[in-house]
Amino acid sequence: MRDPYEVLGVPRTASEAEVKKSFRKLAKKFHPDQNPNDPKAKEKFAEINSAYEIVGDKDKRARFDRGEIGADGKPRFQGFEGGGADPGFGTFRTGTGPGGRTFRWSTSTGPGGMGGGAFGNDDLLSEILGGFARSGGAGAGMGGRARKGEDVTATVAVTLEQIARRERVRVDLPTGRTVEISIPPGTRPGQTIRLRGQGQGDPLGGTAGDALVTVEFVPHPLFKAEGENLRLELPVGLEEAVLGAKVRVPTLDGPVMLTVPAGSNAGRTLRIRGKGLPKPGGGEGDLLVGLRIVLPEGGDPELKALM
């Protein structure tokens, strides 16, 4: 996979705000819904999401910068503890308290090496393995606690239309799996959805970790989300504002007619009920239409004479 900084077009010194700004810009540009005739848009969009999963997460970004994980979010092999000074040896410790014991083993052949027992002492190996068995086998941790694989993080960019239509959206996880999820009503940008058991599997047979999916809204050219409501700035002529009129207003599911009361001032907000986003308890929010009075282009001699 490509360097995530390169994918997002930001330097390694970029701030969190700069990273998020670049992600939103690219997500909007390459979202499949915005590019129905471009077969490569979906692939590019997935690459952008994967890159933001690394650089957009403070912890994972730091781990990537240190070389602990790759561009795919998977850990890089760091070697055995204690093996840096002498690659022929490693260490293993049981427990974290004063009663814990540290064992050292050799990977070389000969007395004390792999040829003479992996830990140089078959009794010690049996003791360690026996301890695991008494703790509940491969599927349990030390002290009998259930083992669990690592959680993974992902980001999904959704459009306001997808939320309004309650569509399921596809998420590419660092594990290599692609899943479809529903966006719960009332979800805000930046909120996280937990997918149980969709994280990394446990190598010793425990349960898989979870996937934590952060939801980002693709910026819309007309509407701005305010909770369950949507806001729209609607230009109206001076005559329409003074005398009143019926005007055509766009919504997420098609245009509707709105009555502008006579004598409306600039900045007045009119409400169209049920044309917002889904509410947690059922139903939809409202569309808040802010009036913006515009004068005729090129001027109006009659209006000028009247003034």
Side-chain angles (χ1 to χ4, degrees), residues 17-297:
E18 290 171 330
V19 170
K20 176 174 278 190
K21 180 179 179 181
S22 180
F23 165 73
R24 287 183 171 178
K25 179 179 178 181
L26 292 172
K28 180 179 179 181
K29 179 178 179 181
F30 292 101
H31 196 284
D33 285 355
Q34 306 294 329
N35 302 271
N37 298 322
D38 184 0
K40 294 185 178 180
K42 181 179 179 181
E43 180 180 341
K44 181 68 176 178
F45 184 73
E47 184 182 38
I48 293 167
N49 269 328
S50 297
Y52 188 67
E53 290 168 13
I54 301 295
V55 184
D57 183 283
K58 185 176 181 180
D59 178 63
K60 296 187 75 172
R61 180 178 181 178
R63 293 175 64 193
F64 176 78
D65 290 344
R66 292 194 299 265
E68 296 176 4
I69 60 175
D72 57 358
K74 296 180 180 179
R76 289 174 174 167
F77 180 70
Q78 300 292 322
F80 292 103
E81 176 189 354
D86 186 348
F89 290 87
T91 60
F92 179 89
R93 181 170 178 81
T94 61
T96 57
R101 299 178 61 184
T102 300
F103 303 98
R104 190 167 186 261
W105 76 89
S106 169
T107 56
S108 61
T109 56
M114 290 297 289
F119 290 83
N121 188 319
D122 288 341
D123 292 336
L124 294 182
L125 177 59
S126 299
E127 178 181 340
I128 294 171
L129 295 179
F132 277 118
R134 288 191 298 274
S135 297
M142 301 301 291
R145 293 188 298 271
R147 295 187 59 89
K148 182 182 177 183
E150 288 188 9
D151 292 343
V152 299
T153 59
T155 303
V156 61
V158 296
T159 64
L160 296 181
E161 287 84 357
Q162 288 176 311
I163 298 173
R165 294 193 295 259
R166 293 177 169 81
E167 290 184 3
R168 295 175 65 85
V169 295
R170 296 169 64 88
V171 182
D172 295 318
L173 301 178
T175 58
R177 292 192 296 270
T178 298
V179 298
E180 287 191 349
I181 65 171
S182 297
I183 305 300
T187 298
R188 305 287 193 270
Q191 284 190 334
T192 298
I193 299 174
R194 181 181 291 272
L195 306 180
R196 302 284 183 184
Q198 294 294 334
Q200 297 287 359
D202 178 64
L204 297 181
T207 59
D210 301 333
L212 307 177
V213 181
T214 301
V215 179
E216 294 288 352
F217 287 8
V218 176
H220 197 281
L222 296 178
F223 307 107
K224 180 180 179 181
E226 297 181 354
E228 291 86 31
N229 296 329
L230 295 175
R231 182 169 291 277
L232 167 71
E233 293 298 317
L234 181 71
V236 296
L238 181 60
E239 182 179 355
E240 293 171 323
V242 173
L243 303 179
K246 284 189 176 293
V247 296
R248 192 181 181 89
V249 179
T251 73
L252 289 176
D253 57 0
V256 298
M257 298 305 295
L258 172 68
T259 298
V260 176
S264 293
N265 290 318
R268 179 174 183 176
T269 299
L270 305 177
R271 184 182 298 266
I272 302 179
R273 298 194 179 280
K275 293 298 182 180
L277 300 177
K279 293 181 178 180
E284 282 74 31
D286 302 331
L287 175 61
L288 307 178
V289 182
L291 301 182
R292 181 164 55 89
I293 298 177
V294 294
L295 298 178
E297 293 186 8

